Every structure is written in C-alpha cells, then in structure tokens.
Amino acid sequence: MAKKRTTIQLNLTLCCCFLFIDFCFSIIGTQKTDTIFQGQEFRDWEHLNSDNKVFRLQFFSPGNTKNRYLGIFYNLPPDVTPNDYDKRPVWVANRDSPIPDASGNLMIDTDGKFMISYGEGQEFVFFIAPARSNVSSRLLDNGNLVFQELNNSDGSVKQILWQSFDQPTDTLLPGMKLGLNFKTGQRWLLTSWISDQVPASGSVTFGVDPTNQLMIWWRGSVVWNSGIWQNGHFDYMQNLATASDQYGDLNFSYVSDEEKKYFIYSASEGQILTRYTLDSSGIVNDSTGSPTFGACTPHPAFVPGCNMEILSPCRRADLDREGDLLFDQTQGFPYGDSIVLDKNNYSLFDCRVECRSKCSCVAYASISDNGTGCEIWSNLQFEMTDFKQSREIFVIRRKPGIIGSWVGVAVGFTIFTAFWCLCIVMLRRIRAEANLGNKMREKRLLYELQRAAAPAIYKRAKSRDEKIGHELQVFSLESIELATNSFSNRNKLGEGGFGSVYKGELLDGRAVATKRLARTSGQGFQEFKNEILLIAKLQHTNLVKLLGCCIEDEEKILVYDYMTNKSLDLFLFDPHRKELLKWTNRLNIIEGVAQGLLYLHKYSRLRVIHRDLKASNILLDDNMTPKISDFGMARIFGAQVSEENTNRIVGTYGYMSPEYALNGVVSEKTDVFSFGVLLLEIISGKKNHRSYDSERPLNLIGLAWEMWSEGRALELVDPILEDSSHSKNEVMRCIHVGLLCVQDQAKDRPSMSDVVSMLTNDNLHLPAPKQPAFFIGLVATQEPEKEQEIKDPNLKKCSIKHLSISEMEPR
C-alpha cells in the first residue's frame, strides 16, 4: 500500500513539472524573438531571426580566419540551392574592428549604450541613447537592424535612433538608399570587402554623384558611371526600368531635391534573396553573382560609362587584339626581384592595378592567404611545387618574341615619326601665334573654354549667341550691350578691383548681372577662364548660377543670374539696411553658406577651395537665400590631396588664414577660416579689418575672443538684434563655431562637414576654442587693390609679389 502511494505521488510530481515547463515555453513563445531588450545579452553562439525569419543576425568567421564578426544573413528556404553570394552576409557590423575570439556579446547596457562587448572590457559602440530612454534593438524583415526608443506607456516605437541601413557595407538591399543628404551630411555608399575572407573596407566604393548618376570609384577616381537619370532610367542602363532577377520583378527609382539625392529599389511582395553586392574589383553583382553595374572588364573600351585605364607605351606590346592586358594564373614557389606593398587595405585588384601601371612588373600576388597585401615582381622565377609555400601568382601573358620585336620596331618608328610631326606642328604654331593680335588670342581662349567646359559638340543659337553644352552660353557683345543699355551708369550695380557689375535684361526677358572685367584689373585671363570652367560644372542651391560669358573686341564679360537683393555686405554693414537682417535671416545665411562650402569641399565633382570667401561674395536672392559667387580665385584639389603650396597668394585682407597668407599653404581649412570670419561678421554686423580698441589695433576676431574669454560673448551680437526674437543658445553656438573656425592652427579647425553638424545639431558637444589667429596688431591700413608685403622675422625676405588683396564694393 505504501509503495502504491509513493508511485502516485511521483506521477503527480512529474505531471506538475511537465505542466510548468509547458507553461514556461508558452510564455517564452509569446516574447519577440527578433528583439534585444535593454540589459539582455546576445552571445556569440546565438541567432536572432527577424519576425518572419527572412533574415538572421549572428557572429561568424569568414573563410579560414579566426576573427569574429557580427553580420546579417538571408535565411535560405529549404527549396533553394545556395550559391556563394547567398552564403555571404548582407551587412557586417564591425568590419574594420574584428573580434579575435568568441567572447563577443551584442547588448544594450543600463545606460542605453548599444554595443558589442568582448575581451576584457573592450567595446564596439553603435549608438548611445539619451538618458532615461526605454530602448531596444530589433531585426526587421527587410534586413534592417534598428535601435529604437519605445514609449513607456504602451511600448510602441517612439523613434529610430540608429539603423544599419544608414551604415551600409558592400550590399544594397530593397528599401536601402544609395546617395547623399546635403542637410545632414549623411552619405550612403557601398564599400567593397578587401577580399572574400576579409570584410574590412576596401578600395572600391559605389554611390550617387550630385550630377544625378551612379558612380563607382577606385581610391577616389571614377572608374564607371551610369549616365544621367532621366525618363525612369540611367542613360547607360536603359534596361534598368524593366529589370528582374530570378525571383521576381524589381522597381527602381531616383529621388532628387535640394536636400537629398538617392537611388533606391524595391522587390515584389514575397521576393527573397534579392541583393546587389560590390566586389573588390569594382563590379556590382546581382543576387545570382552575375555582373550588373560597373562590369568594365575585360575590355572597358566597349562598355558605356567605363573609364578605360590608360596604359604607358611600354605596355602596348603586351596588349591583346581587343586592347587589354591579360594575366595568366598559376601556382608555384616564386623568387626573384620583387617589391612588397605590405598594406592591410590592399586587395588583389589593387595589386593588379599597381602591376599594370609599372613598366617593370611581370607578375603580382597577394602576400597573405586571405588575399590581402601585394607583392609585384620585375624579375620572376618560380618552381612548380605542392608544398605549403606554393602561392597563387598572376603573370603577364607575353606575346611570341618575333611578333613582340616587330611590334616594338613599329611602335618605335611610329613614336619617332609622331615626334617629328609634332615638332613641325609646334614650330608652325609658335610662328603663327607670334603674329596673332589680341583678338585672335581671345578667339583661341574662347575655343579652349568651349572645349574644356563641354567636350560634346556645341550648337549655334538662332542669334549670334552660342551655347556651350546644355547650360553655359557664349553671348555676343551686341546682345550684352543691348541688355545693359550700352553699360549705362543707370544699370551699374557696383564696382570693384575686377571691374564693374551692371544689371541687364536679355531679349527673352531674363534679368541678369554682367561682370565686366576691367583692362586694368588684377584679375586677368587666368581668373576669368578659371571661373567659367569651374562654376559651369558646379550646381547647388547655395552657389550662384553662371549663365554664360562674352569674349569679343578685348571685352571679357561674365553673365550671372540677377540677385534681387545684391550682396550680403550691402545689408550687413549699412546702418539702415541691416535692420532688414533679422536673426532668422542671418542664421539661414550662415547655414546656407556652410552647406555651399560643404558641397564644394566634399560633394562636388571637382573638389574646390574658394580662397576668397567674404560678405561681398555672398549674393542674396528674393528669399534672402545666400549664393556663393566669384570663383576666379578658386583652387581645384585632387581627391587624395589635403593641402598644397602656392606661389601666388590671392584673397582679401582679413579673411585669409595665417598659414595661407604667410606661407602660401592652401587647404579646406583656408575656407574654414574665412567662413569663421564671415560668421562673426554676420552675428556682430562689424567688419573684421577694423580696429575696436582705442589703444591697440584689436580687430573683430580679437574682440570676439576677449568677450568669449571674459564671459561676455553675447555683447558681440549686433545691437540692431536686441529687439528681435533670437535664441541665446543659437547665438552662443554660432559664436562658438566661429571661434573654432578661426583658430591659429589649421589642424585645430573643424572641417565644413563638422561645422554643418555643429550648427544643426544642438545636442552635439563643442570643444573649447583655442586662441585665434591675427587678432591683434594686424588691422589693415592699406588701400585696397595694392600689393601687400607680409614680413616674418623668421624669413629673410617674404615679399609676395603676386599677392592680390581686394576689398570689393557691393554688386
């Protein structure tokens, strides 16, 4: 009897346990499996699936490496046979910060920090939430990992604080943007892996150019472009409008306005595995691994949009019939004369380009098993071996010797003949040009401008006016004289060192401003030519629009859109008109000029340093929108160049940075300094090159610095703004940014990207400014348009003969 009672009790206990376990699982089943909550850890061996299990989040190790990365993958349906691209992650969180072991945890700590923690206290932080926020992270069914703030009342989403779609790696998914945001400075780009085993950022990027076309860059140089977006497709990709992949239809669209430009696509409902992936050789492959964008190999000359690589003459003998330099892949143990480019960010594609560009190179290979680094040989010998030292080598395919010899002779004879022909042509040209007058030289300049500004054939207009390309127009002198009433004084808007500006009205009714270059101007042909060729290629809402030019009868004239409110200095330094500049107008002008400079420095097709930013070069339209003008002194920089030295220093006294005025060093920070001076002038309504102390020559920068140091910064504000409604925090932030921009050392000044963030993000912490440059003892007493001599006790002689200093009157 006792034994029977014990059996019954045991059975009851087991039933209770099973019921409790089932109850626990039912509760767990109601929790979201796609979400990580605050205080929860997602460990290395775990998976996080999206709601409908389309995507999963997990740690992984690519190839044979032991490094661990956090990535998002497609979940493959059972009936799909995966290819190599299906197995690749669509996003990698810590691509440039690998974890050396399996200690990684994705978590949101109690302070709202969204991060990966690993090792002994090491962290990789994505985002830090505002204090006392209710936050969580969720993997969505579109592959987007979001860090979101929740409402405390019902747990609904309050706002998205961070998302992986804003930090793309090498893959574009449906709904993901590819482009740029001018207002926030955000840029959505794909960046290749270095190799299949190393997800770190490679040398190839894929994105949208401000000219409304897709582009692929290799180390900053354009290697492919799609053509302009129009009529629902890009010029060189007309089949894009009806594109589809193996799983369904794709819909592509392009959004472009003043704030943003981006390319985006969507997939039909239920479609899976759709993606576009940028590989390390600059090709964008679709979800099947087939080339779609930028497929410029092997013969780029026959692919629209591809910029064919120009090889040196020494490589011509090795080209195949289609004009390509081919390599044979082999295995072996190499030895011989070689150069090792031991850079972690070198891919096999980078190594190939290096070899193509060097006449002595006969072969190349990676220096590691994971496909990174580069070694190139000028003299190669190798042994065929099966040992572990065996390497994969790419050897230039040589033509048979006799053919190569005849080709060499033919090339040499051609070069010799071409050289003598060139000499004869040049001698004739020199003799002819010696007899040309001013009029013929000006016609030659006009032809040069036409060819440089628009390589395409330009069409003659109905009148004597001509168009360069689609936008820039070459006006006849007759049409300019009719528009300005023969340069009547009644039409005169202003005058400066360059000449005079006149208001005009074209035959089609358009109001224009014509800048007539004076014969005695310090700005000559170079500045005139520079402005035409440069500004014609720049398009931004905060840059003045150049309509055309006129070169005839020794006249050099530029024609712009007419700005109703003329220039900023007309308002800013006039005791009566400055009343029209309310604080909101001044703040909009500050932010607009900052956006224009950011475009010039970072987003324009040409990386441009303005070098003469000042109040008289900021024009205002009907809505008081600022337009940066006068690009005659601008400097074009290469993509990889951060600063240059110039022997010809040009600009306006009071706006030039110290390193530029004294040493001729020009960089983006040159414009940043000028912007800081302009910002302080806009806030105070005072000119920088005036003295604001009776006992010492203290300029505006010095005045602002002293007031800031003494806690009286608000006293700098223009008294005319006392009765207007303005935020003290906004004013203080602007003064703070202005002082950061005029710091003595260029390295201490922020970039224009940072400046835009500082002006638009109230929550951004600003560093304390250091002592500014040129704030005492250098207040101008010279007349405008005179050559200035800048003396430095450390220099034996520092007379800058070509220094062009101008103080221009308003337009």
Side-chain angles (χ1 to χ4, degrees):
M1 188 70 179
K3 185 177 180 181
K4 185 176 182 181
R5 187 181 299 113
T6 302
T7 303
I8 294 173
Q9 289 175 349
L10 179 62
N11 290 335
L12 287 173
T13 301
L14 290 174
C15 288
C16 290
C17 289
F18 282 121
L19 288 172
F20 178 75
I21 292 171
D22 185 62
F23 175 73
C24 290
F25 274 106
S26 66
I27 292 178
I28 293 173
T30 62
Q31 301 294 321
K32 291 186 176 180
T33 60
D34 59 352
T35 304
I36 299 174
F37 295 97
Q38 199 163 2
Q40 180 182 352
E41 289 188 356
F42 175 77
R43 290 162 294 187
D44 182 277
W45 58 87
E46 295 179 311
H47 289 184
L48 182 74
N49 289 299
S50 63
D51 189 28
N52 290 315
K53 295 183 173 55
V54 181
F55 291 91
R56 74 179 182 279
L57 180 73
Q58 69 174 78
F59 286 91
F60 71 101
S61 293
N64 298 321
T65 179
K66 295 181 180 180
N67 289 332
R68 301 292 285 172
Y69 300 86
L70 179 66
I72 297 175
F73 296 77
Y74 266 116
N75 277 322
L76 303 179
D79 57 341
V80 173
T81 301
N83 55 40
D84 291 339
Y85 281 92
D86 293 334
K87 298 176 183 178
R88 284 173 62 98
V90 298
W91 181 78
V92 182
N94 57 320
R95 64 185 309 186
D96 295 312
S97 302
I99 301 172
D101 50 37
S103 63
N105 287 313
L106 178 65
M107 61 180 297
I108 306 170
D109 69 7
T110 54
D111 295 327
K113 187 188 296 183
F114 184 38
M115 63 179 180
I116 300 174
S117 66
Y118 61 97
E120 296 181 1
Q122 294 177 286
E123 298 176 347
F124 179 84
V125 179
F126 299 102
F127 193 86
I128 301 176
R132 297 183 298 278
S133 296
N134 180 12
V135 291
S136 68
S137 175
R138 185 183 181 193
L139 179 61
L140 306 181
D141 276 328
N142 61 356
N144 191 12
L145 179 66
V146 298
F147 182 50
Q148 55 196 9
E149 183 179 8
L150 307 177
N151 289 307
N152 293 322
S153 57
D154 56 1
S156 59
V157 178
K158 183 178 181 181
Q159 62 174 328
I160 301 296
L161 301 174
W162 177 93
Q163 57 181 342
S164 62
F165 270 22
D166 282 340
Q167 311 291 331
T169 51
D170 69 328
T171 301
L172 186 70
L173 295 174
M176 185 183 289
K177 296 175 182 176
L178 199 66
L180 42 91
N181 187 318
F182 298 114
K183 187 174 182 180
T184 63
Q186 174 74 47
R187 193 165 191 181
W188 301 285
L189 288 170
L190 299 188
T191 304
S192 65
W193 288 21
I194 293 181
S195 71
D196 290 340
Q197 299 187 50
V198 182
S201 300
S203 59
V204 184
T205 53
F206 178 43
V208 169
D209 185 75
T211 56
N212 298 333
Q213 54 184 331
L214 297 175
M215 280 192 178
I216 296 177
W217 296 271
W218 176 75
R219 297 191 181 273
S221 299
V222 178
V223 295
W224 176 85
N225 66 281
S226 64
I228 304 297
W229 175 274
Q230 52 187 349
N231 301 322
H233 59 77
F234 294 103
D235 286 347
Y236 303 147
M237 305 180 66
Q238 297 188 15
N239 60 340
L240 191 65
T242 57
S244 62
D245 67 6
Q246 61 177 338
Y247 300 112
D249 294 331
L250 305 176
N251 298 309
F252 299 88
S253 60
Y254 187 83
V255 177
S256 176
D257 54 41
E258 292 185 352
E259 290 189 359
K260 56 189 176 300
K261 296 175 183 287
Y262 63 84
F263 168 74
I264 193 170
Y265 79 101
S266 61
S268 56
E269 187 175 356
Q271 191 170 347
I272 57 171
L273 302 180
T274 299
R275 72 172 77 184
Y276 287 100
T277 303
L278 175 67
D279 68 21
S280 59
S281 64
I283 299 176
V284 180
N285 301 286
D286 62 15
S287 53
T288 65
S290 303
T292 303
F293 305 121
C296 291
T297 55
H299 308 304
F302 303 107
V303 183
C306 289
N307 296 333
M308 183 172 61
E309 182 183 347
I310 300 175
L311 298 172
S312 60
C314 64
R315 289 300 191 196
R316 302 289 171 81
D318 298 319
L319 300 181
D320 65 0
R321 292 180 180 179
E322 283 77 22
D324 193 34
L325 185 65
L326 301 180
F327 293 83
D328 290 322
Q329 181 177 346
T330 185
Q331 290 284 132
F333 178 72
Y335 58 92
D337 299 329
S338 67
I339 300 174
V340 176
L341 302 174
D342 190 9
K343 296 182 179 179
N344 292 330
N345 63 345
Y346 256 61
S347 68
L348 197 61
F349 177 71
D350 298 325
C351 198
R352 179 188 181 93
V353 175
E354 286 284 349
C355 187
R356 289 171 65 96
S357 65
K358 296 183 183 300
C359 296
S360 60
C361 177
V362 297
Y364 70 91
S366 296
I367 62 175
S368 62
D369 294 337
N370 60 16
T372 61
C374 178
E375 184 174 5
I376 58 177
W377 283 268
S378 58
N379 177 22
L380 176 69
Q381 298 179 18
F382 63 91
E383 298 176 356
M384 303 301 294
T385 176
D386 295 327
F387 298 136
K388 292 183 179 179
Q389 294 92 339
S390 178
R391 295 171 63 182
E392 186 178 61
I393 312 164
F394 297 85
V395 183
I396 288 182
R397 183 184 300 173
R398 298 290 191 182
K399 292 185 177 181
I402 186 169
I403 297 178
S405 299
W406 279 108
V407 170
V409 172
V411 170
F413 179 78
T414 303
I415 293 174
F416 178 80
T417 305
F419 174 77
W420 277 109
C421 291
L422 180 62
C423 290
I424 294 171
V425 171
M426 292 299 295
L427 286 172
R428 289 180 178 177
R429 180 174 295 179
I430 291 171
R431 290 173 182 172
E433 288 183 349
N435 299 322
L436 286 175
N438 290 333
K439 190 171 182 178
M440 291 301 296
R441 281 196 293 270
E442 288 168 3
K443 286 185 177 180
R444 186 175 298 278
L445 172 62
L446 174 59
Y447 175 75
E448 184 182 351
L449 294 174
Q450 290 168 336
R451 292 297 301 272
I457 299 175
Y458 58 90
K459 297 181 180 179
R460 184 169 297 276
K462 294 180 180 179
S463 65
R464 292 181 59 204
D465 298 342
E466 298 173 347
K467 284 185 178 179
I468 298 178
H470 301 291
E471 297 290 337
L472 197 61
Q473 190 166 3
V474 179
F475 295 91
S476 64
L477 180 59
E478 181 183 1
S479 63
I480 298 296
E481 289 177 337
L482 285 173
T484 60
N485 194 17
S486 297
F487 302 106
S488 168
N489 283 333
R490 291 184 178 181
N491 291 55
K492 197 170 186 178
L493 298 174
E495 186 172 2
F498 59 87
S500 303
V501 177
Y502 298 85
K503 182 181 179 181
E505 186 175 332
L506 301 179
L507 295 177
D508 58 8
R510 283 182 296 170
V512 295
T514 60
K515 184 162 77 170
R516 187 184 191 190
L517 193 69
R519 297 180 185 178
T520 59
S521 170
Q523 298 185 43
F525 273 112
Q526 184 59 40
E527 286 81 2
F528 182 78
K529 173 184 172 182
N530 190 46
E531 180 144 9
I532 294 175
L533 299 185
L534 181 59
I535 199 171
K537 298 180 180 180
L538 302 176
Q539 295 180 358
H540 191 271
T541 186
N542 295 117
L543 302 184
V544 70
K545 185 176 182 181
L546 179 67
L547 301 178
C549 64
C550 172
I551 308 173
E552 191 174 330
D553 293 342
E554 300 185 1
E555 292 281 2
K556 297 181 287 293
I557 301 169
L558 296 171
V559 182
Y560 300 92
D561 263 343
Y562 176 67
M563 297 289 110
T564 309
N565 287 311
K566 304 177 184 176
S567 58
L568 174 61
D569 61 331
L570 264 181
F571 288 87
L572 199 57
F573 306 130
D574 186 292
H576 303 293
R577 300 189 69 185
K578 67 165 52 182
E579 294 181 1
L580 301 174
L581 277 182
K582 305 300 182 184
W583 171 246
T584 53
N585 299 125
R586 300 190 191 209
L587 185 59
N588 289 337
I589 291 171
I590 290 171
E591 292 179 350
V593 174
Q595 291 288 353
L597 280 180
L598 176 60
Y599 169 78
L600 292 176
H601 290 181
K602 190 172 182 181
Y603 296 119
S604 64
R605 284 184 289 176
L606 307 171
R607 187 161 165 248
V608 178
I609 310 299
H610 189 278
R611 293 205 294 177
D612 197 24
L613 186 71
K614 56 185 176 181
S616 61
N617 283 341
I618 305 300
L619 306 185
L620 304 172
D621 66 7
D622 296 345
N623 301 317
M624 302 297 282
T625 301
K627 312 276 186 179
I628 301 174
S629 69
D630 202 339
F631 287 80
M633 300 176 184
R635 186 75 173 261
I636 302 173
F637 269 45
Q640 305 299 324
V641 179
S642 60
E643 67 176 35
E644 288 182 356
N645 284 83
T646 177
N647 294 323
R648 189 167 182 266
I649 302 175
V650 293
T652 303
Y653 191 91
Y655 293 90
M656 287 191 291
S657 62
E659 72 277 3
Y660 178 47
L662 297 178
N663 302 314
V665 177
V666 59
S667 68
E668 292 178 0
K669 300 301 180 70
T670 305
D671 281 351
V672 172
F673 183 90
S674 302
F675 174 78
V677 176
L678 179 64
L679 192 156
L680 294 176
E681 288 185 336
I682 293 173
I683 292 174
S684 64
K686 296 179 173 66
K687 292 186 178 181
N688 183 44
H689 54 284
R690 295 280 175 85
S691 178
Y692 296 102
D693 192 287
S694 58
E695 299 180 357
R696 53 185 177 154
L698 187 72
N699 63 11
L700 178 60
I701 296 177
L703 181 66
W705 173 249
E706 288 200 353
M707 288 182 172
W708 175 272
S709 301
E710 297 169 3
R712 302 184 294 114
L714 287 176
E715 295 180 20
L716 187 69
V717 179
D718 194 338
I720 206 73
L721 296 176
E722 288 182 357
D723 297 331
S724 64
S725 59
H726 60 270
S727 167
K728 292 183 179 180
N729 291 335
E730 284 181 343
V731 174
M732 286 296 292
R733 177 167 284 268
C734 287
I735 296 174
H736 195 160
V737 173
L739 288 173
L740 289 174
C741 292
V742 297
Q743 292 178 108
D744 189 15
Q745 298 297 318
K747 60 183 175 57
D748 294 330
R749 298 174 212 144
S751 66
M752 285 311 303
S753 178
D754 293 332
V755 168
V756 171
S757 298
M758 291 174 179
L759 292 172
T760 56
N761 188 351
D762 295 336
N763 297 322
L764 188 65
H765 175 71
L766 305 187
K770 299 180 182 179
Q771 178 174 300
F774 289 173
F775 70 89
I776 191 169
L778 290 173
V779 178
T781 58
Q782 300 93 334
E783 294 294 328
E785 284 303 311
K786 299 287 186 180
E787 289 186 355
Q788 305 297 324
E789 183 175 335
I790 301 176
K791 295 183 179 179
D792 189 329
N794 298 319
L795 299 176
K796 294 181 179 180
K797 186 177 181 182
C798 188
S799 177
I800 304 174
K801 191 171 183 179
H802 298 290
L803 174 62
S804 174
I805 307 291
S806 60
E807 179 61 33
M808 301 181 183
E809 295 298 321
R811 307 288 197 272

